[in-house]
């Protein structure tokens, strides 16, 4: 465990309150922790396990699967780096809200991750179809089925352009359709685990 568990009546009260706030659904209890307690490889978490990038507000939320990104330090802050194609619906939510979450669900949710990465929230309610439960941390939506969540505040958004590639193969290999990414560098404001 990353953090000691809450015990006794405090946990029961917290769980009951959370269920009442979420229409009777059993939401998970997450605990905050600090960056120095994070013991995972971003190469495994992002590149192999994948993550859900989730953004929106209390009225409307969208999520997408991503396997490109990173974590580190930028401008003196713990940071996450994500790239999102111009065509993705979730990008509109990030651009509007300025915040998003990265949710790591693990291998048992691989089919959910595949589905959420291939279906657009523009055309159907993919969250409902996939059984995704959304909760909020300081107004930022995240996927409740996750075991690790990073709450992020965008600090910069840079459009990736083909003339900036130093490796000539990138454009042809990854952008044949010319649907380029925007690189978001975001401060990680909260680390949550259950």
């Amino acid at each position: 465990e990353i953090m000691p568990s809450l015990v006794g009546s405090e946990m029961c009260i917290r769980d009951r309150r959370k269920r009442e706030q979420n229409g009777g659904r059993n939401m998970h209890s997450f605990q905050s922790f600090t960056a120095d307690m994070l013991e995972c490889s971003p190469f495994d978490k992002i590149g192999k396990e994948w993550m859900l990038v989730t953004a929106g507000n209390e009225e409307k939320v969208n999520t997408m699967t991503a396997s490109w990104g990173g974590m580190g330090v930028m401008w003196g802050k713990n940071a996450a780096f994500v790239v999102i194609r111009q065509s993705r619906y979730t990008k509109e939510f990030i651009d509007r809200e300025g915040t998003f979450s990265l949710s790591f669900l693990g291998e048992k949710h691989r089919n959910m991750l595949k589905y959420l990465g291939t279906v657009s929230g523009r055309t159907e309610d993919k969250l409902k179809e996939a059984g995704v439960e959304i909760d909020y941390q300081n107004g930022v939506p995240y996927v409740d089925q996750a075991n690790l969540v990073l709450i992020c505040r965008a600090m910069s958004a840079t459009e990736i352009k083909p003339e900036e590639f130093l490796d000539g193969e990138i454009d042809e290999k990854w952008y044949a359709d010319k649907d380029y990414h925007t690189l978001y560098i975001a401060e990680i404001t909260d680390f949550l685990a259950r």
Side-chain angles (χ1 to χ4, degrees), residues 117-179:
T118 56
V119 174
S120 175
R122 276 192 190 99
T123 57
E124 66 179 80
D125 187 351
K126 68 180 188 177
L127 298 178
K128 181 180 177 184
E129 289 297 317
V132 174
E133 294 181 356
I134 298 294
D135 205 348
Y136 296 84
Q137 174 77 7
N138 298 323
V140 180
Y142 67 87
V143 176
D144 186 65
Q145 288 98 323
N147 53 39
L148 172 66
V149 176
L150 308 179
I151 304 295
C152 302
R153 181 188 61 83
M155 296 189 291
S156 75
T158 306
E159 289 185 26
I160 295 177
K161 298 176 183 171
E163 58 269 17
E164 297 170 349
F165 295 135
L166 302 178
D167 180 337
E169 295 179 11
I170 293 173
D171 195 35
E172 185 178 319
K173 182 175 182 178
W174 299 105
Y175 299 101
D177 60 359
K178 305 304 178 198
D179 187 12

Side-chain angles (χ1 to χ4, degrees), residues 5-16 29 31:
S5 297
L6 294 173
V7 294
S9 62
E10 182 180 349
M11 183 62 137
C12 294
I13 292 167
R14 182 174 168 180
D15 285 348
R16 186 179 70 240
S29 292
Q31 297 178 358

